[in-house]
Amino acid sequence: MAEPPQTDEGWFALHDLRTVDWDAWRDAPDHEQDRAVREGIDYLQRHEAVADADEGVSAVFSVLGHKADLMVVHFRPTLDALSTAERAFDRTALGGFTEQTTSYVSVTEVSGYGSTDYFDDPESVDAGYRRYVEGKLHPDIPEDTYVSFYPMSKRRDPEYNWYDLDFEERSDMMSAHGETGKGYAGKIKQVIASSVGFDDYEWGVTLFADDPTDIKDIVYEMRFDEVSAKYGEFGQFYVGRRFPPEDLDAFLAG
Ligand code: 76R
């Protein structure tokens, strides 16, 4: 058997994607719309403030195109907390105007393809590296930002089977991947979360950027990295923009 990398896990993630029933929304009387906006803002503010758990982060995004209108992203310490957050949205008057078209469940992950010092003894690595790992396991979400979310897997074809490769070979490819990624320092923030055992692909990738072209550029450039070119398989892409809960009214009016 090829050797799996060591991993460490942090917060669990739920990407909750919803369409708005615009016909029902337009037909609804003012007082129902007002209640939906009020309860929606209250829900989003409370969850962004993580009033429902000890720690975590949440954010809401408007999504372009037909696949969804809204994406609510939650990171929480447990799957149970995510489940509670998901159900609480359904119970709001806003939830009644939405349909959950898809969703994605995962857990933030770092893997030991590089140095294994952190995995052998987290105390042995320097504070800067620990902060770096901590930021991956317990990410924040930039405020005024574009987002791209997509699930992906590593291929398991007879010719290209990632899970059959020697550790060394995978490690070399991941390090080349990391080098490409470093070229986007300051432009792209990525959250990599494993969905093995939780959802249909193996990872959920969430990219944040001030400039959406940087999202296009990194995904395109990485297609030429050996690891993505030979072993990457991708699900659907969702692109959107974060908005503050107080702007829910404007989102629904628009
Ligand atoms: O060196 C390090 O500390 C980290 C190196 C690193 C790992 C191990 C790294 C760096 N990534 C790692 C793991 Mn990544 N990443 C993606 C995508 O669309 C595509 O083709 C791929 C989607 C992007 C855009 C991205 C960005 N990465 C992973 C894994 C787990 C693989 C496994 O365990 O087999 C996946 C699925 C994945 C996918 N990666 C970086 C980036 C960026 C910007 C970096 C460098 C900056 C940084 O480390 O913060």
Side-chain angles (χ1 to χ4, degrees), residues 2 6 19 37 60 67 113 119 140-141 147 157 174 184 198 203 225 231 239-240:
Q6 297 184 69
T19 49
V37 169
V60 62
K67 285 180 273 184
Y113 274 123
F119 298 91
D140 53 14
I141 300 179
V147 68
D157 283 353
M174 287 315 296
Y184 290 84
F198 295 152
W203 289 275
D225 274 338
Y231 299 99
V239 65

Side-chain angles (χ1 to χ4, degrees), residues 3-253:
E3 188 192 340
Q6 297 184 69
T7 62
D8 197 6
E9 293 73 29
W11 284 335
F12 292 86
L14 173 68
H15 291 68
D16 185 344
L17 287 128
R18 310 246 168 183
T19 49
V20 175
D21 182 345
W22 293 111
D23 288 338
W25 177 254
R26 276 183 218 104
D27 290 346
D30 282 356
H31 71 272
E32 274 187 32
Q33 289 194 354
D34 290 347
R35 186 173 149 224
V37 169
R38 231 178 19 251
E39 291 187 12
I41 291 176
D42 181 61
Y43 171 89
L44 294 167
Q45 285 179 335
R46 287 175 52 78
H47 283 77
E48 292 202 8
V50 196
D52 62 320
D54 292 344
E55 48 172 5
V57 291
S58 296
V60 62
F61 302 84
S62 60
V63 177
L64 288 93
H66 71 287
K67 285 180 273 184
D69 294 312
L70 284 172
M71 177 167 78
V72 187
V73 179
H74 302 289
F75 292 97
R76 291 292 182 278
T78 64
L79 274 182
D80 303 314
L82 288 182
S83 181
T84 306
E86 185 180 21
R87 295 282 81 83
F89 186 80
D90 281 326
R91 281 199 307 275
T92 63
L94 176 65
F97 286 101
T98 69
E99 190 187 337
Q100 191 181 43
T101 43
T102 189
S103 63
Y104 209 76
V105 178
S106 56
V107 63
T108 58
E109 179 194 72
V110 289
S111 53
Y113 274 123
S115 156
T116 61
D117 293 351
Y118 168 81
F119 298 91
D120 298 336
D121 176 12
E123 301 303 314
S124 71
V125 300
D126 67 72
Y129 189 75
R130 266 210 306 279
R131 260 201 311 280
Y132 170 80
V133 171
E134 173 61 21
K136 292 196 173 278
L137 297 180
H138 303 119
D140 53 14
I141 300 179
E143 255 168 41
D144 185 14
T145 189
Y146 290 94
V147 68
S148 170
F149 168 70
Y150 53 98
M152 69 175 293
S153 292
K154 294 279 169 67
R155 193 162 284 148
R156 280 184 286 130
D157 283 353
E159 193 180 357
Y160 292 112
N161 186 342
W162 177 255
Y163 297 92
D164 240 0
L165 299 177
D166 287 342
F167 188 89
E168 279 290 310
E169 240 180 305
R170 278 176 283 133
S171 181
D172 287 350
M173 279 188 254
M174 287 315 296
S175 123
H177 161 87
E179 286 309 308
T180 302
K182 279 183 201 149
Y184 290 84
K187 293 192 208 162
I188 293 281
K189 177 184 165 66
Q190 85 281 12
V191 178
I192 305 299
S194 171
S195 41
V196 172
F198 295 152
D199 223 315
D200 300 341
Y201 285 77
E202 292 168 350
W203 289 275
V205 177
T206 313
L207 307 177
F208 302 109
D210 288 341
D211 180 350
T213 308
D214 290 328
I215 293 175
K216 191 281 293 177
D217 284 344
I218 192 173
V219 175
Y220 189 51
E221 191 179 346
M222 283 191 173
R223 290 292 158 102
F224 295 92
D225 274 338
E226 195 179 7
V227 62
S228 293
K230 287 189 179 154
Y231 299 99
E233 294 200 337
F234 299 86
Q236 290 205 301
F237 285 67
Y238 299 86
V239 65
R241 182 163 195 177
R242 188 170 183 187
F243 68 89
E246 309 80 78
D247 288 0
L248 184 65
D249 205 1
F251 166 80
L252 290 164

